Amino acid sequence: MVTRSTIMDTNSFRAEHAAGLDKDTMRLTERRGHLLGASYRLFYRRPVHLVRGRGQYLWDAEGTKYLDVYNNVASIGHCHPAVVEAVHEQMQLLNTHTRYLHEGILDYSESILATTPAEVNRAMYMCTGSEANDLAIRVARAYSGGTGIIVTQEAYHGTSDLTSGASPALGSGQPLAPTTRLVPAPDHYRLNDVDLGDWFAQEIKKQIDGMQADGIRFAGFLADSIFSSDGVLPGDAGFLKKAVDVVHRNGGIFIADEVQPGFARTGEAFWGFARHGVVPDIITTGKPMGNGIPVSGLLARGEVLAAFSDSIPYFNTFGGNPVSMAAAQAVLKVIHEEGLQEHSRVVGARLLAELRTLQDKYECVGDVRGAGLFIGFELVTDRNSKAPDKALALQLIEMLRDERVLTSVAGPYGNILKLRPPLAFQAADIDWLVGALDRGLARLGR
Amino acid sequence: MVTRSTIMDTNSFRAEHAAGLDKDTMRLTERRGHLLGASYRLFYRRPVHLVRGRGQYLWDAEGTKYLDVYNNVASIGHCHPAVVEAVHEQMQLLNTHTRYLHEGILDYSESILATTPAEVNRAMYMCTGSEANDLAIRVARAYSGGTGIIVTQEAYHGTSDLTSGASPALGSGQPLAPTTRLVPAPDHYRLNDVDLGDWFAQEIKKQIDGMQADGIRFAGFLADSIFSSDGVLPGDAGFLKKAVDVVHRNGGIFIADEVQPGFARTGEAFWGFARHGVVPDIITTGKPMGNGIPVSGLLARGEVLAAFSDSIPYFNTFGGNPVSMAAAQAVLKVIHEEGLQEHSRVVGARLLAELRTLQDKYECVGDVRGAGLFIGFELVTDRNSKAPDKALALQLIEMLRDERVLTSVAGPYGNILKLRPPLAFQAADIDWLVGALDRGLARLGR
C-alpha cells in the first residue's frame, strides 16, 4: 500500500510564511494571522488579493487580470448574471425552509432528476458537499446494515468528522475511521499493462474481503468518477462498470461523489459517472451546483434512501430553501441554454490537444489526460520511471501565478497540475494558459 | 433518567398524511411525495404554501398574511433590504474562497470578535450550525485529548453524523454516540426547590465521573444557554457559571451553541451565554447569522483552536466567502443600527407580560418564561402535578395556524410553545398573537 501523503493544499501556506510581500498583501496576511484560525491557508507564496470576477477572469486589487483555470465553484462563470438575478429576485420575495410548501424545491427536483438515471428518483438538499457525503455514508450504512466504506488512496470527500475519516487526502494529521478501507487509484498512466476495469474491481474485492475478515460489514464504495484528488484520472469510458458490479454483488452501494465531475464538467455527459454506463445508488453534489451559493444535494434510489428516512429524522435548515433552489435552477438553465456541456467537450478537447504539444516538447511532461474541461497535467523527473516531480509542479504553479494564470496541484505527490477552469473558459483563452506553461517549462523543465 | 423522546417536529407530518386539503396544497404535497426523500416533513396538518415574506410577516399563495412567531433564520426580518442589497452587490463583484485574500472575511471577523469576550479571539466559517458544532466537537477532542461530550436530555446540535450522535432530540431512531452523556435540562419550572446552579453543576459532575468510570475521557460540555430544544429554559442570569467551572476544573471545554440564543435574540446581551457571565472556549453560530444566507461560524480561544488547527487540515469551500460575509456583516449592521438587541429586550418583556395574563386566566398555562424575544409557553394538564399537555399544545398550534399565527413546539413532551419571532416583531403584533392564543385557549383549554 502506498504511504498516505497530504495532497490538500500542496501550494498553500499559512499567513506566517508570508515575507517579502507588498504592503497590501502584508497587511491582509497579518490581519488573517490575528483574526482567523490557523487552519486557514493561502494559495501561493505571494498570495493573490482578489476583488472582482467575471466569467473565466478574476481581477486583483490593483486591477491586474487573471485567467482562472482552477475554480469549479463559479462553474458557469464568475458572477454569472443569470444566477445573480435569480438570487436577487428570490431574496426579495421569500427565503424560508422546507417545512412550508414552496414550488422552487419541487421545480428544481424535477429538473435535476430529469438528468439522472430513472432509478435515481428522490432528492434531498444540504449546503455543502461535505454535508451531502456525510449523509450519503449514513444512508449507505442504514441500507446495507454494514459500516465499512471503501475510498481511493488520495480521496477527499469532506470536512465533517465522518467524511474526514474517509478522506485520506487530509494526510496523517487526520486519522481515517477504523471502518474506512483504501484502494489504489485507477492510475492508468502507471497501470498501462493491466485491464484497468478488472484490476480496479479486484482491488475493491480485496478490500471487501479484508474488512469482512476484520469483522466489518461492507456498506459501500464512495468515489468521484474522475478521481480528482488522486490526480485527475478519467480512464477509458466504461472501466468503472466492473467495480460497481462487485460493490453490488457484495451487498454494498455505490455513491457517486459528483462534487467535482458533475454539472457538465466532463463534457461527454452531465454527470461524471455517466461516461461509465453505471447507475449509482446515491449521487452527491456540491461546489458547482449553485455557482457559489452554498447548496448541495443527495439524489438517490428511493428504496435506498427509505432505509434511512423511515427511521432517522433529518432536517437541514438552509438546505433546499427558495434562494438556493433559485440559484441552482439558474445554473441548470444556463448549462442548457449556453450549451456548456458540449462547450466543455469541444474546448476541453482543444485544450488537451494543445497541452499535448507541450508533452511532445518537454520530457518532464509525463502525461496529459482529461475529460472535458477537467485536465490533469502530470510532471515527472523521468519518463521511464515516471517518478513524480513535485518540486517542478510547485515552481510551475508559482510561475503561472506570475503569468496571471491561477491553478493548483493534485495527486498523492502533488506533481499533477489540476486544470479545471470555469466552463466559461474559451478557446481564445488557450493561448494564455498554454503560452504561460510553455514559458514556465522552458525555464524550469526539461 | 427521563426516557428519550422525539421533540423534533412534533407538529410536522409527512406528505402522505395530507388529506382533505385544497387542490393547491394537495398538488404540492403530492409532488413532494414523488420527488423528495421521505425525511421531508411539513408543519401542520394543513400545510402552508408560502410565497412572500417581509419583516415579521409571511404571505401564502392566496395572499393571506401570517404573523411569523417562529423563524429565527430571518432573524432581522424576512427579506431585509440591507441583506438583499449587500448580497446583490457582492454577488456582482466576486464570490470565491478563502485561499485568496479578501477584506470581507477580515472586516467581519473584527466586527464579530468585538462582540465576544477578549479570550475568544479567532474565527472560522462554515455554512451551517451543524458544520460549526461538528468542528467544535472535533476541536474539543483535539484540545482535551478526550472524547466524551455532555449535552442536555433533549438537546439538538446538528444533522451531521457526529452532531446527530450528540442530539437526543432526534429520538430513538438516531442512536447517540457511545461517548455522549446526557444531563437533565435545568428545568426551573419543575426544579423550584433546589439551587439551580449547584444542582446543574452536580449533574454535570456526575456524568463526568460516570464517563470516566467507563474509561471515556471528558472532552467538553456542549449547550445552548437557553436550552431551546429542552423547552426554552433561560433560568436566572448567572446560574450556568458553576456548571462551566466544573467543566473547566475537569479538563473539558465549554462550547456555547449560539445558533438559537445568539445575535441579540435574548435581549439582555448579544450572546446568550453573556447573561451568565461565563467565557466559553468555543462559540458556535448558525441560523440567524446571515438572515437566510447559509453561513455559520466557530469563534474560539486561540489556544484551544490551535490544538486542532496545527495538525488537522480544515477547509470549507463556501465558508467565509465574500457573499456570505457580506450578508453576515449586513446583519450585524442592522442589529446595531436598528437597536434590535434593546428592541428584543423591551418588546420581549411586554410580550412576556401579556402572555402571563393568559397564565392568570387559564389553569392549563403552567409556565411562561423567556429572555428577549425567545419565550416558552408551557401547557400542563394540572398545575400541581405539572403534567405536560402535549395534545393541547398540538391542537393549539393548529388553531394558531388557522388564526394565521405560525409557531411550533419544544421540550421533551412537545407541550411547550416555542415563541421565537423575527426580531422585527413589534409591540403592535402582540395583540394578534395573544388574541389568537386567548381564543384558542378559551375553546380548548381550562
Side-chain angles (χ1 to χ4, degrees):
Chain A
M1 190 182 282
V2 179
T3 315
R4 289 173 58 205
S5 60
T6 305
I7 65 100
M8 286 275 290
D9 324 324
T10 314
N11 71 319
S12 70
F13 305 95
R14 287 206 194 172
E16 60 262 35
H17 288 98
L21 303 172
D22 64 78
K23 263 194 190 164
D24 174 66
T25 310
M26 219 34 194
R27 184 179 58 84
L28 291 172
T29 51
E30 278 175 15
R31 284 180 76 198
R32 281 174 68 107
H34 294 139
L35 293 164
L36 304 182
S39 296
Y40 281 85
R41 303 287 203 281
L42 288 162
F43 280 149
Y44 308 116
R45 291 183 194 281
R46 211 153 57 81
V48 185
H49 176 193
L50 296 175
V51 297
R52 194 157 70 85
R54 190 78 180 188
Q56 66 277 46
Y57 304 120
L58 290 158
W59 286 264
D60 71 14
E62 293 181 335
T64 305
K65 184 178 176 183
Y66 295 78
L67 177 63
D68 184 357
V69 189
Y70 187 66
N71 291 295
N72 68 330
V73 170
S75 183
I76 61 170
H78 290 279
C79 304
H80 195 294
V83 179
V84 173
E85 288 317 308
V87 166
H88 189 51
E89 194 179 321
Q90 188 57 50
M91 278 193 76
Q92 292 172 83
L93 277 178
L94 179 73
N95 195 21
T96 186
H97 55 78
T98 54
R99 292 252 161 86
Y100 307 114
L101 293 167
H102 196 267
E103 305 261 6
I105 189 171
L106 301 172
D107 292 346
Y108 182 73
S109 296
E110 272 174 9
S111 302
I112 195 73
L113 290 172
T115 68
T116 63
E119 296 90 333
V120 177
N121 58 1
R122 287 293 183 281
M124 291 179 71
Y125 301 100
M126 306 86 214
C127 299
T128 67
S130 299
E131 287 194 328
N133 282 330
D134 193 287
L135 181 58
I137 294 173
R138 295 170 70 200
V139 172
R141 288 176 171 176
Y143 179 73
S144 67
T147 56
I149 299 290
I150 296 175
V151 298
T152 53
Q153 201 78 48
E154 287 294 323
Y156 175 72
H157 294 294
T159 64
S160 71
D161 186 64
L162 183 62
T163 54
S164 292
S167 293
L170 292 169
S172 54
Q174 168 62 53
L176 289 178
T179 47
T180 299
R181 291 293 182 277
L182 307 182
V183 286
D187 180 351
H188 42 84
Y189 172 48
R190 288 178 178 79
L191 292 162
N192 46 16
D193 54 350
V194 300
D195 178 300
L196 198 69
D198 286 332
W199 174 86
F200 197 53
Q202 280 160 20
E203 290 294 327
I204 286 175
K205 184 61 168 66
K206 267 193 237 171
Q207 294 305 321
I208 295 172
D209 293 345
M211 67 171 73
Q212 280 170 348
D214 293 342
I216 295 167
R217 188 163 157 191
F218 178 49
F221 171 52
L222 167 58
D224 141 20
S225 61
I226 200 161
F227 302 92
S228 172
S229 296
D230 289 284
V232 189
L233 300 161
D236 289 337
F239 93 84
L240 212 53
K241 195 159 185 349
K242 286 177 181 168
V244 174
D245 288 345
V246 163
V247 168
H248 285 150
R249 272 202 305 278
N250 287 272
I253 70 161
F254 171 48
I255 305 166
D257 178 343
E258 291 281 336
V259 171
Q260 302 269 352
F263 291 88
R265 168 68 50 187
T266 59
E268 293 157 86
F270 185 84
W271 299 106
F273 65 79
R275 294 176 64 237
H276 298 289
V278 297
V279 177
D281 301 285
I282 299 178
I283 300 166
T284 54
T285 72
K287 296 192 198 330
M289 186 173 170
N291 214 49
I293 290 293
V295 52
S296 68
L298 180 150
L299 313 172
R301 299 168 71 112
E303 70 275 21
V304 171
L305 196 51
F308 177 88
S309 304
D310 287 348
S311 60
I312 306 178
Y314 184 92
F315 173 66
N316 190 303
T317 302
F318 301 130
N321 72 24
V323 168
S324 62
M325 292 291 94
Q329 191 69 275
V331 168
L332 274 192
K333 195 160 174 264
V334 168
I335 289 173
H336 179 72
E337 288 180 0
E338 296 186 6
L340 290 181
Q341 184 182 312
E342 177 64 6
H343 174 83
S344 182
R345 193 183 68 77
V346 171
V347 178
R350 281 185 61 176
L351 175 58
L352 199 70
E354 290 294 322
L355 291 167
R356 282 185 173 148
T357 65
L358 298 180
Q359 189 182 10
D360 295 340
K361 199 166 164 185
Y362 300 101
E363 272 290 305
C364 59
V365 182
D367 193 37
V368 185
R369 57 193 176 246
L373 282 167
F374 204 159
I375 292 173
F377 186 88
E378 177 149 9
L379 297 160
V380 294
T381 55
D382 172 70
R383 283 203 183 174
N384 290 322
S385 72
K386 302 178 179 177
D389 197 339
K390 178 179 175 171
L392 174 60
L394 290 181
Q395 284 176 292
L396 203 50
I397 289 290
E398 297 285 342
M399 193 168 284
L400 286 172
R401 181 245 177 272
D402 294 339
E403 296 243 15
R404 297 165 293 110
V405 174
L406 303 179
T407 191
S408 190
V409 291
Y413 309 103
N415 67 311
I416 300 152
L417 270 52
K418 184 153 94 174
L419 307 175
R420 186 192 51 180
L423 301 183
F425 185 92
Q426 300 296 324
D429 299 309
I430 292 176
D431 281 355
W432 187 348
L433 167 60
V434 174
L437 269 172
D438 194 1
R439 285 184 293 277
L441 288 167
R443 209 171 121 190
L444 300 167
R446 287 163 313 279
Chain B
M1 189 181 281
V2 179
T3 315
R4 289 175 58 204
S5 60
T6 305
I7 67 100
M8 287 275 292
D9 324 326
T10 314
N11 72 318
S12 70
F13 305 95
R14 288 205 193 173
E16 59 262 37
H17 289 98
L21 302 172
D22 64 77
K23 261 194 190 164
D24 174 66
T25 310
M26 221 33 199
R27 183 179 58 83
L28 291 173
T29 51
E30 278 176 13
R31 283 180 77 198
R32 280 173 68 108
H34 294 139
L35 293 164
L36 304 182
S39 297
Y40 282 85
R41 301 288 203 282
L42 287 162
F43 279 149
Y44 308 114
R45 291 184 194 281
R46 210 153 57 80
V48 185
H49 176 194
L50 296 175
V51 298
R52 192 155 73 83
R54 190 77 178 188
Q56 65 278 44
Y57 304 120
L58 289 158
W59 286 263
D60 70 15
E62 291 180 336
T64 304
K65 184 180 176 182
Y66 295 78
L67 177 63
D68 184 357
V69 189
Y70 188 68
N71 292 295
N72 68 330
V73 170
S75 183
I76 61 170
H78 290 280
C79 305
H80 196 293
V83 179
V84 174
E85 287 318 308
V87 166
H88 189 51
E89 193 179 323
Q90 188 57 51
M91 279 194 76
Q92 292 172 84
L93 277 177
L94 179 73
N95 194 21
T96 186
H97 57 77
T98 54
R99 292 251 160 87
Y100 307 114
L101 293 167
H102 195 266
E103 304 262 7
I105 190 172
L106 302 172
D107 292 346
Y108 182 73
S109 296
E110 272 174 9
S111 302
I112 195 73
L113 290 173
T115 68
T116 63
E119 295 90 333
V120 176
N121 59 1
R122 289 291 184 280
M124 292 179 71
Y125 301 99
M126 307 83 217
C127 299
T128 66
S130 298
E131 287 194 327
N133 282 331
D134 193 287
L135 181 60
I137 294 173
R138 295 170 69 201
V139 172
R141 289 177 170 178
Y143 180 72
S144 66
T147 55
I149 300 291
I150 295 174
V151 299
T152 53
Q153 202 80 49
E154 286 295 323
Y156 175 71
H157 295 294
T159 63
S160 71
D161 186 63
L162 183 62
T163 55
S164 291
S167 294
L170 292 170
S172 55
Q174 168 62 54
L176 290 178
T179 48
T180 299
R181 290 292 181 279
L182 306 183
V183 286
D187 181 351
H188 41 85
Y189 172 48
R190 289 177 177 79
L191 293 162
N192 47 15
D193 55 348
V194 301
D195 178 300
L196 197 69
D198 285 333
W199 174 86
F200 197 52
Q202 281 161 19
E203 290 293 328
I204 286 176
K205 185 62 168 65
K206 267 193 239 169
Q207 294 305 321
I208 296 172
D209 292 346
M211 68 170 70
Q212 281 169 349
D214 294 342
I216 295 167
R217 189 163 158 191
F218 178 48
F221 171 52
L222 167 59
D224 140 20
S225 62
I226 200 160
F227 303 93
S228 173
S229 295
D230 289 283
V232 189
L233 301 161
D236 289 338
F239 93 84
L240 212 52
K241 193 157 186 353
K242 286 176 181 168
V244 174
D245 288 345
V246 163
V247 168
H248 285 150
R249 273 203 306 278
N250 287 274
I253 71 162
F254 171 48
I255 304 166
D257 178 342
E258 291 281 336
V259 170
Q260 301 268 354
F263 291 88
R265 168 66 51 186
T266 60
E268 292 157 85
F270 185 84
W271 298 107
F273 65 79
R275 296 176 64 237
H276 297 290
V278 297
V279 177
D281 302 285
I282 299 179
I283 300 165
T284 54
T285 72
K287 296 195 201 325
M289 187 175 171
N291 213 50
I293 290 292
V295 53
S296 68
L298 180 149
L299 313 172
R301 301 168 70 112
E303 68 276 21
V304 170
L305 196 51
F308 177 88
S309 304
D310 288 349
S311 59
I312 306 179
Y314 185 92
F315 172 66
N316 191 303
T317 303
F318 301 129
N321 73 24
V323 168
S324 62
M325 293 289 95
Q329 191 70 273
V331 168
L332 275 193
K333 195 161 173 267
V334 168
I335 289 173
H336 180 71
E337 288 182 359
E338 296 185 7
L340 290 182
Q341 184 183 312
E342 178 63 5
H343 173 82
S344 182
R345 192 183 68 77
V346 172
V347 178
R350 282 185 60 175
L351 175 58
L352 198 70
E354 291 293 323
L355 292 167
R356 282 186 174 147
T357 65
L358 298 180
Q359 191 181 8
D360 296 340
K361 198 166 166 185
Y362 300 101
E363 272 291 304
C364 59
V365 182
D367 193 35
V368 184
R369 58 197 176 241
L373 282 167
F374 204 158
I375 292 173
F377 185 88
E378 177 147 8
L379 298 160
V380 294
T381 55
D382 171 65
R383 282 205 185 174
N384 291 320
S385 71
K386 300 179 178 176
D389 197 340
K390 178 178 173 173
L392 175 59
L394 289 181
Q395 284 176 291
L396 203 49
I397 289 290
E398 297 285 343
M399 193 168 284
L400 286 171
R401 180 245 176 273
D402 293 338
E403 297 244 12
R404 297 164 292 108
V405 174
L406 303 179
T407 191
S408 189
V409 291
Y413 309 103
N415 67 312
I416 300 151
L417 269 54
K418 183 154 96 176
L419 306 177
R420 187 191 51 181
L423 301 183
F425 185 91
Q426 300 296 324
D429 300 309
I430 291 176
D431 281 355
W432 187 347
L433 167 60
V434 175
L437 269 172
D438 195 1
R439 285 185 292 277
L441 287 167
R443 207 171 124 192
L444 300 168
R446 286 165 314 280

